[in-house]
Amino acid sequence: MNEPLPHEEAENSMSIGQQLRLRTLSWIVVAALVLVSPVLLYALLFLHSNTTDMHQWLPEGRVEVQRYEQFIHQFGGDEIVLVSWPGCTMRDPRLAALATALREATANDPDPIWHRVLTGPEAMRELIQGPAKLRPGQAAGRIDRLLLGPDRQTTAALITLTPSGGTQPHRVIDTITRTAQQACGLSRDQLRLAGGVYKASMIDLATDRSIKRCILPSALLTLIVVGGLLRSLRLTLVVLVAAVFCALIGIAMIYYTSNGINAILVAVPTLLYVLTVSGAIHLANYYRDAQREVGAAQAGFRAVQVGWTPCALASISTAIGMASLVVSDLSPIRNFGIYSALAVVVGFFVLLAVFAAVLTLSPCVKSEKPIAVPTEVDPWLDFVVGKVLKYHNLLLSLGVIGLAVAGWGLMRTTTTVDLLKNFRPHSELVRNYLWINEHLGPQGSLEMVVRYDPDSTQRPIDRLTQIRDAEREARSVDGVVTTLSALTFAPSIPKPSGIRGIAAQVTFESRFNAARPEIISQGWLAESDVGESWRIHVRVPDMDGRPYKAVIGDLRERVGAIFADDVDTVHLEFTGGLPLIDEAQGELLDDLTDSILLAFAILAPVMMLMLRSFWAGLVAMLPNVAPVVTVFGVLGWMQVPIGLGTMLTASVALGIAVDDTLHFLTWYRRALVQGHSRQDAIRTAFHRCSIAMLQTTLICCTGLLVLVPAEFIPTSMFAVMMIVLLPTALVGDLILLPALLASPIGRAFHRPPAVDPSRTAESL
C-alpha cells in the first residue's frame, strides 16, 4: 500500500456548517467507541482458555466420531488419569493415603468426576486374594506396564473418570493435585501425571500464559517500530488506539460466540493487531499528504477517502486467504479461519472510523513529509532494481528452477498432531510423560470392541474364550505393549478337557455371570438392543511409536482371524480418542491442500478482474504462490512435519502477498499508460512500493516475534512460519515479479486497462 498521488484541487477552507458536521460525525464515532469499550474490556478480562478433547475436533458426521461417541455411551468413556511420583513403590504408604483421599474427595459429589481409583498394591491383592487366586508372579504379569513398572516395584494410582470428568480437565487435575498436597504432602512438581484430560489442562495453561505474556509485549514492540517509522507521537498513538481496538474486537468475537479461546485461536488477536498497524501506517502517510492538500481540519476524512480502496483491497485479499481455512474438517483450524477473516473485515471499518474521527477532533498541526514512499529516487533501491532488470532472465530462470525443486519437496510433506511433540522438551507435560514411559509404561491407547449380535448362538464361555484369545493375539502385534479387559481380574479360563474340565468351565461361567453387573458397572461389558459388546483396552507407545492406523490394521488382520467363522454375528471395531488424533493427522495435509487451492481459486479471479486480463492475472499469481511453495517445499525436503500452527500460515500468507502484488502491478500499469517503457515502469513501481512493503513486513514480523517462545509449539510455529513467509513473499514481489515483468512473459501486462489514468492514481 502506498501514498496517494496528487488529486484534483480541493477546497482548503471549510464552511462553519461543514466543519460542524465533520466534528459531529467524529464525536458520534468516538462516543460509539467509548460505549462499546466496556463490552470489549469485559471480554478481555474474562476470556478463558478451553481446550476440548481432540475427538471433538473432527466433524460430528464422521464415521470415526460416531463410533467413538457410541463407545462413550456404552462404556462411559476411556478417559483415565495416571498418578505417580519418584519413589512411589508398592510399599509407599503415601499411595494408599492418596487413594483414600481421592475417593473421599468425590464421595458426596452430585456430579462426580471419577468413579474408580485403583492402585498397584490394591490390584495385586485383588488378583491374588480375589476370584482369580493367582500367584504373585502371575498377578504381576496381569498389570505389568500398566500399574507396575518393569522393575516390579514402581507403581501408580489409576483414576477412571466419569463422562463429566472427561469434559472438566481443570477440575480433575486441580482436585488431584490439591488432594495429593493435603493428604501426602506432594507438590505438583513432585507428581507425575498422564492422561488425556491432563494434556488438555496443560494446553489451557499454555494458552493462558501465551495471552498474558504475548499481548502486551507485542503491542510495545510494534509501537516502538511504528514510532520510529512515523516520527510523530500523535500519529503513533492513533495507530496504537486503532490497532488495540481491532485486537479487542477479535477477542470479543471469540469470547461472545464460543466456549473460550484455545491455543490456536490465541494467535488471532496478535495477528489482527499487527495487520491493523500495517494498514494504519499507510493511512498515516495518506493523512500527511492530505494535510498539504486540504488542511488539518479535513485531513482525517481525506486520508480515509483516498486510502479506502487500497485498504479495502488489503482487507479483502487477507480475509479471503484466512477464510479459505473453513474447508478444514478440523474445528480449531476452521474456527481460526472464520474468526480471523471476520475480524479483519470488521477491523478494516474500525480502522477507518478511528482515523477519521480522532484526527479530525485532534489533528496534527505540523505537516511533515511522508516517509513511507520517497519522492526522490533512493540510490540503494535504484541499484537493486537495476540489477534485477539487468539479470531478469537469470533471476527468473533460477526462480522457476527453485520452485520446481521446492514443488517436488511438497510431495514429501508429512503432518503431525501429536500433542507430546507440541510442547517444549523442558515442559512439565513432556517431563512427566518421559518419566512415566520409562518407569511404568507407554500411555498411548486404543479401544478394541467385540460386538455379538442378539441372534448369536455362541455360549457365554465361548465368548469369554474368544475375548481371551483376542487379547493374546493383540499382545503379539508389533506396537502393542499390554491389554486390559474384564478377564484381567478373573481366574484363568479352564480348558474343556474331560469331565472335570467341563465342570470347571460351567463353574467359571456361573461365577462370571454372577459378576456381570459389576463388570458392566466397571465399563468392560455393555448390553443393548444391538447386542453384547466387550471392551479390550490396548496400550501402545505414545512417543515415537507406530501410527495408530498401522497398529489397527495389524490388529484387524490378526485378531479378526479369531472371529472368521462368525463374521455374520460377531463384529470387531476399533476406536478411542488417540486413534481419532491419528485420523486428524491424515486430514491435516488434505486441509492444507484444499485451503491453498480455494484461496488461489478466489484470489486469482480477483487479480484478473483488477488487471482486466485473464493471462495477466494468472501470471501475477506466480509471485504469490512462490513463497508458500518454497517454504513448505523446504519443509518437505527437510522432513519437518506440518502441524496445526504451520498449516494455518499458508493461506494467510497467500492473502497478504496478493495485496502487495496488486499495488506493484497497479503502479506498473499506470506508468505504462503514461507512456513509459516497460523497464521504466518497473523502476517507477519499485520505487513507489518497495519502502511500504518493507515497512509492513517489518511491522508484521516484529509483532509476531513475541509468539515465537510460546510454550505451545503450534502457536510458536505459526509465528515462526509467518516471520519466514512474509520476507519470502517480499522477495517474490520485489525480485521475482519485476524479473517476470521484464521478461517476454511481461507483455501480458503491457496492454493498459481502459480506465482513466487519473482515477487509477486516485485509487492508490
Side-chain angles (χ1 to χ4, degrees):
M1 284 177 272
N2 309 281
E3 65 173 295
L5 294 177
H7 303 281
E8 58 183 88
E9 291 294 322
E11 294 293 332
N12 289 328
S13 61
M14 299 175 63
S15 66
I16 296 178
Q18 289 175 319
Q19 293 182 28
L20 182 61
R21 283 193 294 272
L22 283 178
R23 293 184 67 83
T24 300
L25 183 58
S26 299
W27 278 116
I28 291 174
V29 171
V30 172
L33 296 177
V34 172
L35 288 175
V36 80
S37 292
V39 178
L40 302 182
L41 291 174
Y42 182 87
L44 175 64
L45 292 175
F46 292 96
L47 182 68
H48 65 281
S49 57
N50 181 28
T51 301
T52 56
D53 293 336
M54 290 283 287
H55 75 269
Q56 298 180 21
W57 289 14
L58 292 170
E60 294 182 0
R62 293 290 293 270
V63 175
E64 297 86 354
V65 177
Q66 292 177 346
R67 185 181 299 129
Y68 184 68
E69 290 176 346
Q70 182 183 12
F71 172 84
I72 296 292
H73 177 72
Q74 288 182 317
F75 298 103
D78 64 339
E79 288 289 356
I80 61 172
V81 178
L82 195 70
V83 184
S84 187
W85 55 86
C88 179
T89 64
M90 298 291 287
R91 293 185 174 87
D92 191 339
R94 293 175 295 180
L95 187 58
L98 175 63
T100 301
L102 289 173
R103 295 185 185 108
E104 293 175 351
T106 59
N108 300 318
D109 195 334
D111 181 28
I113 49 181
W114 52 70
H115 58 75
R116 191 184 188 195
V117 179
L118 180 66
T119 66
E122 291 171 343
M124 286 291 290
R125 281 196 301 271
E126 185 175 345
L127 289 168
I128 296 172
Q129 301 173 8
K133 302 297 182 182
L134 301 179
R135 293 190 296 272
Q138 293 175 316
R142 293 277 183 99
I143 63 172
D144 185 34
R145 310 302 294 274
L146 182 68
L147 281 172
L148 194 61
D151 60 0
R152 296 295 173 98
Q153 288 298 319
T154 304
T155 186
L158 185 67
I159 305 171
T160 306
L161 304 184
T162 63
S164 176
T167 61
Q168 303 180 72
H170 289 297
R171 182 185 170 195
V172 169
I173 301 303
D174 290 345
T175 304
I176 291 173
T177 53
R178 184 175 61 253
T179 304
Q181 177 68 51
Q182 295 172 350
C184 311
L186 293 167
S187 66
R188 178 163 180 155
D189 288 340
Q190 292 175 289
L191 294 178
R192 297 295 180 264
L193 304 170
V197 295
Y198 173 62
K199 293 178 181 178
S201 70
M202 289 303 299
I203 294 175
D204 280 350
L205 289 176
T207 303
D208 287 337
R209 284 194 283 262
S210 296
I211 294 173
K212 295 175 182 177
R213 296 176 183 176
C214 296
I215 291 180
L216 183 59
S218 177
L220 293 177
L221 275 176
T222 308
L223 180 62
I224 293 172
V225 174
V226 172
L229 295 174
L230 294 181
R231 301 175 189 174
S232 167
L233 178 60
R234 184 169 299 180
L235 277 179
T236 300
L237 291 177
V238 173
V239 170
L240 179 65
V241 169
V244 168
F245 237 93
C246 292
L248 288 176
I249 288 174
I251 291 175
M253 291 174 64
I254 296 172
Y255 177 79
Y256 290 110
T257 61
S258 68
N259 293 326
I261 196 168
N262 58 45
I264 302 299
L265 289 179
V266 72
V268 171
T270 302
L271 179 63
L272 183 61
Y273 177 84
V274 297
L275 290 177
T276 304
V277 168
S278 296
I281 199 170
H282 292 295
L283 279 179
N285 283 290
Y286 296 148
Y287 173 76
R288 283 173 163 167
D289 225 37
Q291 280 185 311
R292 296 194 298 267
E293 296 180 14
V294 298
Q298 302 181 64
F301 277 91
R302 182 65 169 179
V304 170
Q305 181 184 10
V306 174
W308 170 274
T309 299
C311 287
L313 287 174
S315 298
I316 290 172
S317 61
T318 304
I320 288 174
M322 293 173 172
S324 67
L325 295 171
V326 299
V327 300
S328 175
D329 282 337
L330 302 181
S331 60
I333 294 176
R334 184 172 61 253
N335 291 339
F336 178 89
I338 294 172
Y339 283 114
S340 57
L342 289 175
V344 164
V345 174
V346 174
F348 161 69
F349 292 102
V350 172
L351 172 61
L352 297 184
V354 169
F355 244 81
V358 175
L359 291 177
T360 295
L361 296 174
S362 179
C364 298
V365 178
K366 182 180 178 180
S367 178
E368 300 181 18
K369 181 180 179 181
I371 62 172
V373 180
T375 55
E376 70 277 0
V377 175
D378 187 289
W380 284 102
L381 296 179
D382 199 54
F383 172 79
V384 173
V385 72
K387 293 298 183 183
V388 172
L389 292 174
K390 182 177 180 180
Y391 300 107
H392 66 272
N393 286 328
L394 175 62
L395 292 173
L396 186 59
S397 299
L398 292 175
V400 172
I401 294 173
L403 283 177
V405 174
W408 186 261
L410 288 176
M411 301 175 63
R412 297 166 52 88
T413 302
T414 58
T415 59
T416 180
V417 289
D418 186 350
L419 288 182
L420 290 178
K421 295 179 181 178
N422 287 332
F423 283 84
R424 305 289 180 183
H426 60 272
S427 67
E428 174 190 317
L429 183 140
V430 174
R431 178 202 66 188
N432 286 354
Y433 267 83
L434 286 174
W435 188 92
I436 288 177
N437 272 264
E438 178 183 355
H439 293 87
L440 284 168
Q443 297 303 302
S445 65
L446 60 91
E447 303 294 338
M448 186 164 58
V449 179
V450 181
R451 180 167 56 83
Y452 294 88
D453 287 347
D455 56 351
S456 175
T457 59
Q458 288 177 312
R459 296 180 305 157
I461 191 65
D462 294 333
R463 297 183 181 186
L464 292 171
T465 302
Q466 285 187 330
I467 299 300
R468 180 201 61 190
D469 295 342
E471 278 199 87
R472 289 177 177 175
E473 197 64 38
R475 285 194 290 267
S476 67
V477 171
D478 181 27
V480 174
V481 178
T482 188
T483 61
L484 190 66
S485 74
L487 297 176
T488 300
F489 295 95
S492 300
I493 300 176
K495 296 181 180 180
S497 56
I499 297 177
R500 183 175 296 180
I502 295 175
Q505 280 199 337
V506 172
T507 303
F508 179 90
E509 184 178 333
S510 175
R511 290 178 177 175
F512 206 92
N513 286 334
R516 285 176 74 90
E518 183 180 358
I519 295 172
I520 292 174
S521 67
Q522 292 177 355
W524 297 110
L525 173 62
E527 296 175 331
S528 65
D529 295 338
V530 297
E532 185 179 86
S533 299
W534 294 82
R535 170 191 177 188
I536 301 175
H537 179 79
V538 181
R539 279 296 174 93
V540 296
D542 57 347
M543 303 182 75
D544 301 323
R546 297 179 64 203
Y548 283 94
K549 281 186 177 180
V551 177
I552 290 174
D554 288 349
L555 284 171
R556 191 180 300 276
E557 180 181 354
R558 300 276 290 276
V559 178
I562 297 173
F563 308 100
D565 296 334
D566 305 295
V567 291
D568 294 332
T569 58
V570 182
H571 309 278
L572 184 63
E573 297 176 349
F574 297 90
T575 187
L578 293 178
L580 282 181
I581 297 176
D582 201 44
E583 184 68 25
Q585 178 171 314
E587 293 289 337
L588 203 59
L589 189 57
D590 293 337
D591 291 344
L592 174 63
T593 304
D594 292 344
S595 64
I596 293 176
L597 290 177
L598 179 60
F600 184 89
I602 298 176
L603 290 172
V606 172
M607 189 75 75
M608 295 171 187
L609 181 64
M610 294 299 300
L611 298 178
R612 311 285 179 89
S613 169
F614 173 83
W615 293 110
L618 191 62
V619 172
M621 288 300 294
L622 179 63
N624 301 304
V625 176
V628 176
V629 173
T630 300
V631 174
F632 280 83
V634 170
L635 292 180
W637 280 113
M638 296 175 63
Q639 289 292 284
V640 176
I642 294 175
L644 292 173
T646 307
M647 188 265 178
L648 297 173
T649 59
S651 300
V652 175
L654 182 60
I656 294 175
V658 166
D659 172 51
D660 287 338
T661 301
L662 280 172
H663 285 285
F664 193 101
L665 291 176
T666 305
W667 278 105
Y668 171 74
R669 287 166 64 82
R670 180 189 176 277
L672 292 178
V673 171
Q674 293 177 342
H676 292 283
S677 65
R678 288 167 60 193
Q679 293 212 350
D680 287 342
I682 293 171
R683 288 179 181 272
T684 300
F686 194 92
H687 283 290
R688 290 288 186 179
C689 296
S690 56
I691 295 297
M693 292 180 184
L694 287 167
Q695 287 185 347
T696 55
T697 301
L698 177 62
I699 291 170
C700 288
C701 291
T702 302
L704 292 169
L705 195 63
V706 297
L707 291 176
V708 173
E711 183 178 349
F712 193 55
I713 291 180
T715 304
S716 173
M717 284 304 299
F718 174 81
V720 170
M721 287 295 294
M722 289 299 296
I723 291 172
V724 173
L725 278 165
L726 290 176
T728 308
L730 187 67
V731 173
D733 281 323
L734 295 183
I735 302 297
L736 185 58
L737 180 58
L740 185 66
L741 295 174
S743 71
I745 302 175
R747 294 192 181 96
F749 302 87
H750 190 67
R751 184 169 61 87
V755 295
D756 185 354
S758 63
R759 292 186 63 82
T760 303
E762 210 170 48
S763 70
L764 295 171

